[in-house]
Amino acid sequence: MLDEMDIGDAIDDFSINSKKALNMDIDYVNRARKKLNNSGDNQRIIYLCNKALLINDLNWEAYYLKGRALINLERYDDAINELLNSLALNEDNIDARVYIAKAAHLKGDLNYALQVYDSILNIDKKSFEALKGKALVYFDKKDFVEADKFFKKANDISPISDDEKIKWDFCLNKLKEE
């Protein structure tokens, strides 16, 4: 026999388990991914990810996409927390590490950003995103020698963007002046 107080919980559990069985969390994540790639409606992305996490709180990609949307909204601490949750569930997700470092950089925590980029380079020594990210952090720290070194390493893997090339040229000019 069920106590009447337990009926609501039983229905909620049944509903969540049914949605999990129907892979509804994956549907929400797919919709959030499409929004992130197309419209960038960050509030909607967060809503969809929260719906997915209500169904399956072990869905690493929902945390990851939510973290990226939070970065777009400049909520860096929240973004880092969500990305760490994603990483805890899928430690092979290098992209989560990249976005943790980007959020730390945007937040102004340059030393932490460098630590995270180093952790990526310990896994993949030729990570373009990590090399480029380190160059940009060193640029912001006004350490133009290190920035130049990492811009060169990144550019050897893949061409850097025009905006990054402008920063690299600035570094080279500063180094020539010294």
Side-chain angles (χ1 to χ4, degrees):
M1 297 232 345
L2 288 174
D3 184 331
E4 74 178 64
M5 298 299 287
D6 294 335
I7 292 175
D9 291 339
I11 291 172
D12 288 344
D13 289 345
F14 176 76
S15 176
I16 288 171
N17 289 334
S18 297
K19 289 177 182 176
K20 207 182 271 190
L22 295 171
N23 293 325
M24 287 298 293
D25 62 317
I26 294 170
D27 181 53
Y28 288 126
V29 166
N30 287 336
R31 290 168 49 197
R33 189 181 321 105
K34 285 179 189 170
K35 287 268 183 216
L36 187 64
N37 292 334
N38 296 331
S39 72
D41 183 355
N42 296 299
Q43 295 296 343
R44 183 73 177 157
I45 294 164
I46 292 168
Y47 171 79
L48 291 168
C49 290
N50 285 337
K51 296 280 279 182
L53 292 168
L54 278 173
I55 297 167
N56 181 2
D57 63 349
L58 299 177
N59 188 318
W60 67 269
E61 193 174 7
Y63 289 111
Y64 169 74
L65 295 171
K66 185 177 177 183
R68 288 192 49 197
L70 288 165
I71 289 172
N72 294 338
L73 295 173
E74 299 178 6
R75 293 174 46 195
Y76 305 122
D77 288 327
D78 294 334
I80 290 170
N81 287 334
E82 296 299 329
L83 291 163
L84 286 171
N85 287 334
S86 174
L87 196 55
L89 294 169
N90 181 7
E91 63 187 38
D92 296 333
N93 185 0
I94 299 257
D95 291 336
R97 290 176 194 259
V98 168
Y99 281 99
I100 290 169
K102 285 181 181 184
H105 184 186
L106 291 168
K107 181 178 135 176
D109 193 347
L110 303 182
N111 290 329
Y112 181 60
L114 287 173
Q115 287 176 351
V116 177
Y117 284 130
D118 285 338
S119 78
I120 296 166
L121 292 171
N122 286 335
I123 297 167
D124 178 7
K125 293 194 183 321
K126 294 189 179 213
S127 169
F128 173 74
E129 289 297 326
L131 294 168
K132 178 181 72 169
K134 279 189 80 163
L136 294 170
V137 171
Y138 280 123
F139 179 85
D140 287 349
K141 289 181 89 163
K142 299 186 182 353
D143 184 342
F144 301 120
V145 172
E146 288 296 307
D148 173 47
K149 180 171 95 175
F150 284 99
F151 275 128
K152 181 175 180 353
K153 286 181 179 182
N155 197 57
D156 286 346
I157 294 169
S158 180
I160 58 175
S161 73
D162 290 340
D163 290 339
E164 292 148 358
K165 180 77 172 112
I166 290 169
K167 290 181 179 182
W168 191 11
D169 289 341
F170 183 86
C171 288
L172 294 174
N173 288 334
K174 283 291 190 184
L175 292 173
K176 285 179 187 175
E177 290 174 9
E178 295 175 359

